[in-house]
Amino acid sequence: MKVAGIISEYNPFHNGHLYHIQETKRRTDADYIICVMNGNFMQRGEAALVNKWARTEMALKGGADIVVELPVIFGVQSGELFSYAGVKILDSLNIVDFISFGSECGNIQSLNKIADILKDEPSAYKRLLKGYLKKGHSFAKARQQAISHYLNEDMSSIISSPNNILAIEYLKALKRIDSNMTPITIKRKGASYSSHRLNKKISSATAIRTLIKNNSIKSKELENNMPMPILEILHREFEMGRGPIFLDSFEQIVLYELRKKDPDNLLKYMDISEGLENRILRNSKKYGFLRELLRKTKTKRYAYTRLSRILVNIMLDITENKIKLLMQNGGPQYIRILGFSRNATHLVSYINKNSSLPVINKIPKHLNISNKLLIEMIQKEIFATDIYTLGYQNERERRAGMDHIMKPVIL
């Protein structure tokens, strides 16, 4: 029996994701696919288009056998923390043979070379990086140039592409925890990750979300880019008033949280430094729309993605100290299975018995657990879902406590 793992968001699941699962099975000869999937908020500081249980159903209908939750505390952080948590969870299941991820280059050797440098940070590389930073380059640009200089090879196209960057972080994490999982990369097909342009059959999730945001929910273009069973789930959720959800859905909550804070309060959160706290607070009082707040706060150093992620961390009160404490204690503290196919029931039983982290299939209202970090992680997950449901158009669906009510999705 062979098992392959995938770290995902599926926001929403589309033909590119279907291709990735199918190609992973073909390349690894895997019998089962386990996905570690973000919950209701995404790594790039976005809200999930539909909730995590609907997206779990999408993943299972798209070919996954088990879906495990990536805790929100790590799911809305930098690529390094996001990747580490996903890899650690897959490794902790003690059943995964391969980890598969997409990349623009499709070359595991090139990605591995860069991952080795970033993991070990040789002194020569650090000197080069420091030198390029002193010249006024952004960190991302300075890193590209330092790596290319160090390897005496132009790596800028590799380390500037979003899926390549995540792939490198996955490889770093594998090395960091000394995992036995074998990495494979599938060359991305169709549009680039951030492309807003729709292709005929494989478009980016960004383009699909943009189409939906522009009120084209039942367009032919969606039918061309998403498997029909997946699209039916999306339509069902929209008809129930549980989507589509965007970060704008929480505009007033975010602005409220910002306007009640002072600069010192903001310094508790990841990625806020160099006076950014003052810029955010000033613009939060000046503008009543998140898109304007982000547009006016964005600089060469602080991109939309980083700023959006900061806003989500503030809204959910995920502080830098909490993340550091978790990382000092191994990162993720538990496994939570969001759903599985009936033919993978025996795998769920195996995971329950053999996982190196405690497995939680349903969150009880009263947690009789001695691990305080685990309790805090779960409580933050419950809070994040309670905030997320406030974005529903249907007022009757906005109730709290869904993490206590919902059972794993079984298909």
Side-chain angles (χ1 to χ4, degrees):
M1 180 181 72
K2 295 180 182 177
V3 178
I6 293 172
I7 300 169
S8 60
E9 292 191 319
Y10 297 150
N11 188 35
F13 191 101
H14 55 67
N15 288 344
H17 298 132
L18 180 65
Y19 169 76
H20 181 206
I21 288 176
Q22 292 173 341
E23 191 66 5
T24 296
K25 287 182 176 180
R26 187 189 70 80
R27 290 268 300 274
T28 65
D29 200 27
D31 303 289
Y32 299 96
I33 298 287
I34 299 179
C35 292
V36 174
M37 189 187 78
N38 253 23
N40 290 322
F41 293 93
M42 302 293 102
Q43 191 269 329
R44 293 173 66 85
E46 299 161 342
L49 199 63
V50 292
N51 69 54
K52 56 192 174 186
W53 294 285
R55 289 177 13 262
T56 294
E57 189 180 350
M58 290 179 182
L60 295 174
K61 288 194 173 181
D65 296 286
I66 299 176
V67 179
V68 177
E69 184 170 65
L70 180 64
V72 69
I73 285 182
F74 291 103
V76 295
Q77 303 309 327
S78 67
E80 182 176 22
L81 290 167
F82 169 88
S83 301
Y84 174 82
V87 169
K88 181 67 182 290
I89 288 170
L90 281 175
D91 189 71
S92 298
L93 299 177
N94 289 321
I95 199 172
V96 180
D97 303 293
F98 303 92
I99 178 171
S100 172
F101 42 81
S103 66
E104 286 85 1
C105 72
N107 187 321
I108 199 76
Q109 287 77 27
S110 296
L111 296 169
N112 246 322
K113 274 201 292 188
I114 297 171
D116 283 332
I117 295 170
L118 295 181
K119 173 186 171 286
D120 299 329
E121 291 195 319
S123 55
Y125 161 73
K126 288 198 282 190
R127 284 196 300 271
L128 288 166
L129 178 63
K130 190 175 181 180
Y132 284 116
L133 286 170
K134 278 186 176 179
K135 292 180 180 179
H137 296 297
S138 67
F139 179 80
K141 186 68 176 176
R143 188 170 69 168
Q144 290 172 28
Q145 294 179 318
I147 287 171
S148 296
H149 192 156
Y150 182 82
L151 292 174
N152 196 26
E153 182 180 354
D154 186 7
M155 292 290 190
S156 56
S157 63
I158 294 177
I159 202 167
S160 62
S161 302
N163 286 102
N164 288 344
I165 292 170
L166 267 182
I168 291 163
E169 294 298 342
Y170 294 142
L171 291 167
K172 273 176 57 184
L174 286 168
K175 298 170 192 293
R176 184 174 175 182
I177 66 174
D178 195 24
S179 173
N180 289 322
M181 294 187 295
T182 301
I184 68 159
T185 188
I186 309 294
K187 187 173 176 62
R188 186 183 177 92
K189 288 183 70 174
S192 67
Y193 180 91
S194 57
S195 173
H196 287 262
R197 191 182 69 181
L198 284 161
N199 284 4
K200 286 185 178 180
K201 288 193 174 181
I202 299 183
S203 299
S204 70
T206 301
I208 291 170
R209 290 194 302 273
T210 300
L211 181 69
I212 291 170
K213 196 168 189 177
N214 292 333
N215 296 316
S216 299
I217 292 172
K218 294 189 177 181
S219 70
K220 190 69 177 175
E221 291 153 308
L222 273 185
E223 293 179 14
N224 292 339
N225 279 278
M226 297 177 70
M228 187 52 66
I230 310 299
L231 193 55
E232 287 171 356
I233 296 169
L234 205 61
H235 286 155
R236 180 197 70 203
E237 292 299 304
F238 294 170
E239 288 166 6
M240 292 291 292
R242 296 194 293 253
I245 309 293
F246 301 96
L247 186 58
D248 291 346
S249 305
F250 310 98
E251 189 166 69
Q252 293 187 42
I253 297 174
V254 173
L255 289 171
Y256 164 75
E257 287 296 330
L258 290 173
R259 290 182 181 184
K260 74 177 186 180
K261 287 180 169 53
D262 59 35
D264 287 341
N265 294 144
L266 287 197
L267 289 172
K268 297 187 302 181
Y269 300 98
M270 293 287 290
D271 292 333
I272 297 183
S273 60
E274 301 173 337
L276 178 62
E277 67 279 10
N278 297 312
R279 190 178 180 90
I280 291 173
L281 287 181
R282 183 171 63 250
N283 288 333
S284 74
K285 294 171 182 175
K286 192 173 181 181
Y287 303 102
F289 298 96
L290 282 187
R291 62 178 178 272
E292 279 298 292
L293 169 72
L294 289 166
R295 189 172 70 84
K296 295 295 184 179
T297 307
K298 179 185 178 298
T299 65
K300 183 179 179 181
R301 186 177 289 268
Y302 295 101
Y304 282 115
T305 296
R306 185 172 177 180
L307 292 171
S308 297
R309 197 160 51 230
I310 286 171
L311 295 184
V312 171
N313 274 278
I314 292 169
M315 179 174 70
L316 301 180
D317 194 30
I318 300 172
T319 63
E320 183 173 7
N321 282 343
K322 181 58 63 183
I323 296 163
K324 286 182 176 178
L325 182 59
L326 284 164
M327 289 301 290
Q328 289 165 6
N329 288 273
Q333 300 291 302
Y334 63 92
I335 302 296
R336 184 187 182 191
I337 296 175
L338 289 174
F340 56 92
S341 62
R342 294 187 187 280
N343 68 349
T345 303
H346 64 292
L347 286 190
V348 174
S349 298
Y350 181 92
I351 291 167
N352 281 323
K353 293 176 183 176
N354 296 284
S355 170
S356 54
L357 290 174
V359 179
I360 298 171
N361 293 323
K362 184 181 177 184
I363 297 177
K365 289 189 177 180
H366 303 287
L367 294 165
N368 186 21
I369 299 170
S370 60
N371 183 340
K372 290 183 178 180
L373 287 176
L374 189 158
I375 291 174
E376 288 176 9
M377 282 190 73
I378 292 175
Q379 287 173 336
K380 190 60 68 179
E381 200 65 49
I382 293 166
F383 177 66
T385 302
D386 288 348
I387 293 293
Y388 180 82
T389 59
L390 292 175
Y392 290 161
Q393 291 88 341
N394 185 345
E395 296 91 339
R396 294 184 179 182
E397 295 285 345
R398 293 178 187 167
R399 60 189 180 276
M402 294 306 296
D403 278 294
H404 296 303
I405 298 168
M406 297 297 290
K407 297 178 181 177
V409 177
I410 304 174
L411 294 182

